Amino acid sequence: MGTTISHVVISYDVDRLHTQVKSSMESFGYKTNFSFSGSSKIYQLPNTSLWHGSKSSDQAMDDLKKTCNGLRVTLEKAIAVKADEFVGI
């Protein structure tokens, strides 16, 4: 179970209404980009991935499921991971 509150990245595929799913998740504080501490460079995530600075992976998955249910969108697949240490381009 992913219950540790930390940085989290969630990546997903939905059958439709991608823009609305992303907008709804952004209203919960998810972002389409990240930056490293002390760096001014901003890294963009792939279009079906989001980042949050203070959620657990369980919370992120629950947020996505609620969003998809509310929009009546089929969540085809998703993964949410604790992202305390990572590299980006």
Side-chain angles (χ1 to χ4, degrees):
M1 298 196 91
T3 58
T4 303
I5 303 296
S6 184
H7 299 113
V8 64
V9 172
I10 187 163
S11 185
Y12 59 90
D13 282 339
V14 293
D15 68 336
R16 60 192 186 90
L17 301 179
H18 167 72
T19 302
Q20 291 88 333
V21 170
K22 184 179 275 191
S23 293
S24 180
M25 292 293 284
E26 287 176 323
S27 73
F28 294 127
Y30 291 87
K31 301 203 179 296
T32 60
N33 58 57
F34 67 92
S35 63
F36 293 109
S37 295
S39 173
S40 61
K41 182 168 173 81
I42 296 175
Y43 297 88
Q44 297 297 322
L45 291 168
N47 67 349
T48 60
S49 298
L50 297 166
W51 176 89
H52 198 289
S54 59
K55 294 268 185 171
S56 71
S57 53
D58 283 345
Q59 289 171 323
M61 192 64 72
D62 286 344
D63 289 344
L64 182 59
K65 287 177 182 177
K66 287 177 193 172
T67 294
C68 290
N69 285 337
L71 293 170
R72 295 191 172 144
V73 169
T74 299
L75 177 58
E76 295 176 339
K77 56 191 163 195
I79 184 169
V81 296
K82 182 178 167 190
D84 281 338
E85 187 175 329
F86 52 89
V87 176
I89 297 176

